Amino acid sequence: MGSNEEMKELVTVINKLQDAFASTYSGVNLELPKIAVIGGQSAGKSSVLESVAGRDFLPKGAGIVTRCPINLQMIPDEEEYVELLEHPDVRYTDFNDVKKVIADVTDKETADKAVSSKPIMLRFYSPHVLQLTLVDLPGLTKIPVGNQPEDIEQLVHDMILEYIKPSNTLILAVTPATEDLANSDALKLARRVDPEGERTIGVLTKLDLMDKGTDARRVLENKIYPLKRGYIGVVNRSQKDVEEKVDLREARDAEEKFFLEHAVYRHMTDRVGTKTLQRVLNRQLQEHIREKLPGIRSEMIKQKADLQQKLQSMDALEDKDINDNALLHQVMARFTKTMEACFEGFDYSVDTKEIVLGVVINETINTNIINGLLNERSLMLTKEEVMTALRNLVGVQNYISASQQVFKNMVEKITKKFKEPMKKSVEIIAALTQKAIEKCARKEIISYPHLEEAVLRLLMERLQDNELKCKEDLERYIKAECAFMNTNHPWMGRCDSDGHSHKRCLSPSDYDEGKAKNPTTLTNSTNPSKSANPTNPVELKPLLPPKPKKVLHQGYLDLASDSQFFKKKKPVWITITPLHVSIYTDHGEGTELMQLQNTKIKIGVETDVARRRKKFIISRIDGSFMTMVQARIIETMYNGTKGNEEGERWENTFKEAGIQMEDLGNPVDGLVYEDEGTEPHPTPRKCATPPPKIDFSKDAHDHMERILKYVQIVKQTIQDLTPKYIVHTIIKELMTYVNERLVAEIQEQSDLKKLMEPGGEEELKKRKMRSMFDATTEAVGIINSLAWLNVDAVGEPSFIFPA
Ligand SMILES: Nc1nc2c(ncn2[C@@H]2O[C@H](COP(=O)(O)OP(=O)(O)OP(=O)(O)O)[C@@H](O)[C@H]2O)c(=O)[nH]1
């Protein structure tokens, strides 16, 4: 490849690399050297800089024209124009305007002082330039003129030093050929920062103005004041040329002509002319690049590997070419998985730093709902409150019995109290669920703000619907609870009014055992809900004869007329086994009325010695009801017809069967039986005794206990069911929606392209990193493509600076 072509390629490559580096945000830069032009006042600095840049946009003239540093940044671009920092929005394409603005800004900046160190920033965009910076500095002045301060020389001196100090700055030390080189301030200053002259290029201007017969041959031959990089002689436009608007191209031609026709200079073409100066500068740059690129390449390769690793860990490399639909499904699958992990705890990468909201919801259910809102003391009635209510029912009347209506009203009233806490519970869990959704969305969808917005909108709508539905369901449940009171609930027998279960749970057989077999609703069924429910009568079926068992004694005893079974006194068939006392309507084919467990009953015995009668008063040891109709005692009597022995035998056999017996003696009032004339036993004599007193407090107490027990059951059921309803309706149904409908609804309602428009910090970070990765990859590719990178030969001049 010819060297000129190499340089063309170099301009392209370097500019591409600069672009690539700019997008890597890495700070990696070719750092092409700045070129600072220094020299005495009116030495021709601006003219040199201009001819290097190839455009005429700097003010020139006699006197001190450049009074501020002019920072000219050359930037490759398709169009050619100038921008000034002072007017960032204006693109100057007329260079005369640029000149004028620079002059104005200079005047403004130096209105109260001779010079200013604040640079005027210019950007020169052109398709023909490399990205590098040229700095025109004010001329060194010796004697203050006009309003210039006394220390003007020092001021300018210090400013120039500041600019040329960095080792990455090439110094163009401009001296007019009309001056003695030994007095060159430019060279003196350059030597201070570059004593070896490694980055200083001597430029001799105004060769055309030298006295006739004199020339700068010995200077240009580097013999007078040697510099490592030597001297270049140039002829710029004279003040007259400037005024006559001779353009740079014409000036360049005139310069060429001048040197070719000059007797001395035409023999030293490699030392004179603006083109030569450009070529030298190009060479400097090329050398610099050649030196720097291998290091940059290694740095880029390392950076590329780092970025690749980071992107892989962020799962961001694969997404690159995926289409929007696939991306939507990918993102939503991640979101669904995170939601499931939150609620179901199926996350295999179990979080050890933070409790997921699902766990918070669980704790809230147990602590704040079951044992909080739904366990408030105010929801329940105290014994005193029930008792007061019962007393209030009768007013001045004597208490007779508590009606079923009273029971219903009171239970209903308490049950309805649960409505508000249940609703509140729904709201609490809905609010937590909303938080969980938002958190999961933030985690998984934040990179796609439109999608996140759509997901949140749909889920919030669904959550609201579910919340409403759940409240309605629970309200309906309360209504259902009030609609039917299951007073035969199995727990009625086992919960005390404080809601505590007895140590031993009753089995269904227990439930049956204590149950009275009402002759009108008798059944063989062992199902408590059917057989025990007085509102659910079933056909009366005669029982089969009792299974053969070891009978200790059996026979007829009379059942009292207030036994709750019969309206009249009636003989019943009783058998005593080691385990049970059973009462049948009759011997053989009779129906079993009751079967009582010996260990659970006690029998009080009254003996009427005169009549040889014995009355056996059977009750439960725990005081509970004997029958469905709520009698606490069953009175049976041996009527004495078989003599004393038979009465004694009954009593002894009860004892033998392990029943707790109590001798009640010989009662004063005798055995009270209405004479019903029943067969086959003689009728006991009617006894004139006062009617039994109604025990208000005992009956009310029983009623109160039943109410308290029942509302306890209601409460426990509500405590049990409410969280189930809530979790099902609020969370499970929401998850079903997320799994089955959400994506489809999102696709139906929104524009897919817009949905998947990335945004948000996380995505921006990923994108930035990905573009850095791409730029680095490109930069490495560009550097690798430079075959001449390791070639030592220095290329010929080219058009880095526009011709
Ligand atoms: N004949 C001739 N005139 C030149 C040459 N170089 C510069 N001039 C003129 O010298 C004057 C000063 O040139 P400038 O380029 O403004 O010099 P400067 O060093 O930038 O001046 P200050 O910034 O004011 O210090 C201008 O009128 C130029 O036209 C040259 O090589 N030959």
Side-chain angles (χ1 to χ4, degrees):
M1 191 187 284
S3 58
N4 200 39
E5 279 167 31
E6 274 179 11
M7 285 309 296
K8 278 184 196 171
E9 187 190 348
L10 188 63
V11 174
T12 318
V13 164
I14 297 306
N15 287 336
K16 267 196 194 169
L17 275 178
Q18 298 278 18
D19 283 351
F21 296 153
S23 37
T24 62
Y25 307 91
S26 62
V28 173
N29 202 307
L30 265 175
E31 283 181 277
L32 291 182
K34 269 187 184 167
I35 299 170
V37 188
I38 64 168
Q41 196 182 313
S42 295
K45 301 178 293 298
S46 304
S47 305
V48 167
L49 186 140
E50 241 177 20
S51 47
V52 166
R55 290 292 177 264
D56 174 12
F57 44 60
L58 297 178
K60 290 168 292 295
I64 177 164
V65 177
T66 311
R67 281 169 284 147
C68 313
I70 296 175
N71 194 91
L72 175 66
Q73 217 182 325
M74 304 207 293
I75 300 167
D77 199 89
E78 285 171 8
E79 292 172 51
E80 193 164 85
Y81 58 95
V82 173
E83 275 178 6
L84 278 122
L85 192 70
E86 277 72 13
H87 308 287
D89 303 329
V90 187
R91 282 184 168 199
Y92 295 94
T93 47
D94 183 339
F95 295 112
N96 285 321
D97 293 344
V98 179
K99 248 187 247 180
K100 197 173 169 315
V101 176
I102 292 174
D104 290 349
V105 175
T106 304
D107 286 347
K108 202 173 121 200
E109 283 299 321
T110 59
D112 56 348
K113 48 190 185 266
V115 289
S116 165
S117 59
K118 187 179 165 198
I120 296 174
M121 305 296 287
L122 247 76
R123 282 188 180 151
F124 173 38
Y125 295 88
S126 166
H128 309 293
V129 296
L130 259 188
Q131 190 158 330
L132 55 83
T133 302
L134 304 173
V135 185
D136 187 14
L137 290 159
L140 286 153
T141 178
K142 289 249 181 292
I143 303 150
V145 286
N147 62 349
Q148 289 178 354
E150 283 303 311
D151 58 348
I152 178 90
E153 185 183 1
Q154 192 59 43
L155 282 173
V156 177
H157 188 271
D158 293 348
M159 188 198 304
I160 294 173
L161 273 183
E162 205 53 43
Y163 272 89
I164 61 175
K165 218 183 273 172
S167 61
N168 198 29
T169 302
L170 272 178
I171 305 166
L172 291 188
V174 179
T175 313
T178 48
E179 279 178 19
D180 187 351
L181 203 62
N183 296 329
S184 169
D185 295 313
L187 290 172
K188 272 189 212 160
L189 269 180
R191 186 180 279 187
R192 284 188 60 179
V193 295
D194 178 31
E196 303 300 318
E198 287 177 340
R199 53 188 178 94
T200 305
I201 299 168
V203 181
L204 282 184
T205 55
K206 306 190 182 180
L207 289 177
D208 60 317
L209 296 183
M210 288 184 81
D211 291 340
K212 270 215 162 103
T214 61
D215 61 61
R217 185 173 54 88
R218 283 180 57 77
V219 177
L220 295 173
E221 284 173 351
N222 211 10
K223 286 185 176 155
I224 306 290
Y225 192 87
L227 289 172
K228 266 197 184 144
R229 298 188 186 274
Y231 293 83
I232 309 288
V234 295
V235 173
N236 297 313
R237 289 178 298 175
S238 65
Q239 185 60 32
K240 187 166 166 275
D241 292 338
V242 172
E243 280 159 16
E244 287 175 3
K245 301 206 183 329
V246 172
D247 75 19
L248 276 177
R249 192 175 291 272
E250 277 178 73
R252 190 75 45 86
D253 292 345
E255 185 196 27
E256 250 183 77
K257 192 166 175 262
F258 171 82
F259 286 127
L260 283 174
E261 289 175 358
H262 197 279
V264 175
Y265 301 134
R266 71 173 173 223
H267 300 298
M268 40 191 335
T269 47
D270 61 335
R271 294 279 99 200
V272 293
T274 300
K275 279 189 180 169
T276 308
L277 177 60
Q278 285 181 338
R279 185 174 58 203
V280 170
L281 285 175
N282 282 344
R283 194 182 298 162
Q284 292 296 319
L285 295 172
Q286 199 177 359
E287 273 177 18
H288 174 88
I289 292 160
R290 211 184 281 276
E291 206 177 281
K292 282 214 138 197
L293 273 184
I296 288 176
R297 182 174 174 271
S298 318
E299 177 61 31
M300 287 278 116
I301 288 172
K302 185 174 165 290
Q303 189 171 311
K304 185 184 163 187
D306 285 354
L307 284 166
Q308 187 162 11
Q309 203 180 9
K310 274 186 198 154
L311 284 166
Q312 262 160 358
S313 73
M314 290 166 85
D315 198 21
L317 268 183
E318 293 73 14
D319 286 355
K320 210 175 153 192
D321 297 322
I322 199 164
N323 68 41
D324 285 341
N325 192 38
L327 187 59
L328 171 74
H329 281 89
Q330 203 178 71
V331 173
M332 290 309 292
R334 276 207 301 262
F335 172 71
T336 309
K337 199 172 155 224
T338 305
M339 288 273 287
E340 273 167 355
C342 174
F343 292 128
E344 307 289 349
F346 291 153
D347 194 358
Y348 296 110
S349 58
V350 178
D351 201 334
T352 50
K353 291 195 183 115
E354 199 187 355
I355 288 289
V356 293
L357 269 162
V359 177
V360 177
I361 289 176
N362 173 275
E363 282 172 3
T364 306
I365 285 174
N366 286 307
T367 313
N368 301 33
I369 294 179
I370 297 177
N371 292 308
L373 281 170
L374 302 179
N375 201 27
E376 291 284 332
R377 274 195 97 73
S378 59
L379 291 172
M380 300 305 280
L381 285 176
T382 62
K383 289 182 179 183
E384 289 69 31
E385 284 169 326
V386 179
M387 194 62 84
T388 306
L390 290 172
R391 278 182 186 282
N392 290 342
L393 280 173
V394 290
V396 296
Q397 302 301 317
N398 287 331
Y399 184 90
I400 301 168
S401 70
S403 74
Q404 194 174 351
Q405 194 56 39
V406 175
F407 179 91
K408 193 172 183 299
N409 286 349
M410 292 194 75
V411 172
E412 222 173 68
K413 196 175 150 202
I414 295 172
T415 306
K416 282 178 181 167
K417 276 189 177 184
F418 280 89
K419 206 154 69 179
E420 282 312 310
M422 285 162 100
K423 279 187 182 173
K424 184 94 190 123
S425 304
V426 177
E427 283 162 15
I428 290 173
I429 300 303
L432 282 173
T433 307
Q434 178 175 341
K435 261 193 187 173
I437 295 168
E438 285 166 351
K439 203 169 171 196
C440 294
R442 217 169 23 247
K443 187 174 172 205
E444 301 297 352
I445 325 181
I446 192 162
S447 305
Y448 306 94
H450 297 295
L451 177 63
E452 188 186 10
E453 192 268 325
V455 167
L456 287 179
R457 179 172 41 78
L458 286 171
L459 286 184
M460 292 311 141
E461 277 171 19
R462 181 57 60 145
L463 187 61
Q464 255 175 22
D465 289 351
N466 289 3
E467 186 182 333
L468 205 71
K469 186 170 165 244
C470 189
K471 283 180 179 173
E472 284 169 2
D473 285 349
L474 288 172
E475 207 169 326
R476 196 170 307 117
Y477 169 73
I478 290 282
K479 283 182 186 161
E481 189 66 63
C482 295
F484 175 69
M485 289 181 194
N486 182 15
T487 48
N488 293 316
H489 193 289
W491 294 353
M492 279 298 275
R494 70 170 178 172
C495 291
D496 58 31
S497 52
D498 296 326
H500 298 122
S501 299
H502 293 302
K503 275 183 191 153
R504 188 183 75 84
C505 289
L506 300 182
S507 65
S509 61
D510 285 318
Y511 185 79
D512 272 354
E513 186 196 34
K515 176 186 67 190
K517 308 284 171 75
N518 187 327
T520 57
T521 57
L522 285 178
T523 173
N524 280 335
S525 167
T526 54
N527 182 343
S529 60
K530 270 188 178 176
S531 58
N533 187 349
T535 62
N536 187 22
V538 290
E539 195 187 341
L540 177 67
K541 288 178 188 169
L543 280 180
L544 296 169
K547 285 176 194 160
K549 50 195 161 188
K550 190 184 173 196
V551 176
L552 301 174
H553 187 55
Q554 58 186 347
Y556 284 105
L557 290 178
D558 286 339
L559 200 61
S561 58
D562 59 351
S563 67
Q564 313 283 345
F565 287 102
F566 309 111
K567 291 221 164 60
K568 296 177 179 174
K569 180 192 75 169
K570 201 173 168 164
V572 288
W573 182 260
I574 292 184
T575 62
I576 308 172
T577 69
L579 293 177
H580 298 106
V581 172
S582 303
I583 306 173
Y584 300 91
T585 50
D586 206 349
H587 175 51
E589 298 175 340
T591 304
E592 186 186 61
L593 294 174
M594 293 187 85
Q595 187 182 65
L596 300 163
Q597 216 174 322
N598 296 350
T599 52
K600 290 189 175 174
I601 55 172
K602 59 182 180 181
I603 299 179
V605 186
E606 289 178 2
T607 309
D608 183 347
V609 182
R611 294 183 178 88
R612 295 169 294 179
R613 292 175 179 171
K614 273 188 187 287
K615 185 171 164 188
F616 301 105
I617 305 164
I618 309 170
S619 63
R620 288 190 180 277
I621 293 171
D622 64 4
S624 57
F625 294 116
M626 297 293 291
T627 65
M628 277 304 300
V629 280
Q630 300 167 14
R632 288 184 185 275
I633 55 169
I634 299 278
E635 289 184 359
T636 56
M637 191 180 71
Y638 164 64
N639 58 19
T641 49
K642 290 186 181 173
N644 272 335
E645 295 76 21
E646 180 61 10
E648 292 301 322
R649 190 171 174 196
W650 276 109
E651 187 175 346
N652 289 335
T653 313
F654 283 133
K655 270 186 203 155
E656 193 189 327
I659 295 167
Q660 200 179 306
M661 302 298 286
E662 192 182 354
D663 187 359
L664 301 177
N666 192 1
V668 180
D669 57 353
L671 299 175
V672 182
Y673 279 85
E674 275 183 34
D675 187 2
E676 305 285 348
T678 49
E679 293 299 328
H681 307 288
T683 307
R685 186 174 54 84
K686 190 172 179 178
C687 187
T689 50
K693 280 182 193 165
I694 294 168
D695 182 352
F696 177 88
S697 63
K698 185 172 178 296
D699 191 66
H701 182 267
D702 290 348
H703 204 63
M704 173 195 73
E705 284 293 336
R706 282 167 55 71
I707 290 172
L708 291 177
K709 267 184 191 175
Y710 192 77
V711 292
Q712 194 63 41
I713 292 169
V714 171
K715 175 185 157 182
Q716 286 182 346
T717 314
I718 287 174
Q719 282 177 322
D720 181 52
L721 280 181
T722 306
K724 288 176 179 165
Y725 265 97
I726 295 177
V727 172
H728 173 76
T729 320
I730 301 282
I731 297 175
K732 293 281 174 191
E733 287 193 1
L734 190 84
M735 281 316 294
T736 307
Y737 172 73
V738 169
N739 273 307
E740 295 173 5
R741 291 284 317 140
L742 182 60
V743 176
E745 281 188 23
I746 284 174
Q747 281 174 320
E748 274 165 26
Q749 294 187 9
S750 320
D751 167 28
L752 186 61
K753 196 165 175 49
K754 191 160 183 239
L755 273 180
M756 300 320 293
E757 263 174 24
E761 269 176 41
E762 188 66 16
E763 180 60 22
L764 288 179
K765 202 170 135 195
K766 272 189 206 169
R767 292 190 123 205
K768 192 171 164 185
M769 230 182 243
R770 210 181 284 155
S771 83
M772 277 164 66
F773 176 75
D774 293 344
T776 318
T777 308
E778 191 189 352
V780 173
I782 293 168
I783 298 170
N784 284 345
S785 71
L786 297 175
W788 49 266
L789 198 62
N790 295 317
V791 178
D792 287 333
V794 173
E796 286 297 305
S798 76
F799 63 102
I800 288 182
F801 304 105

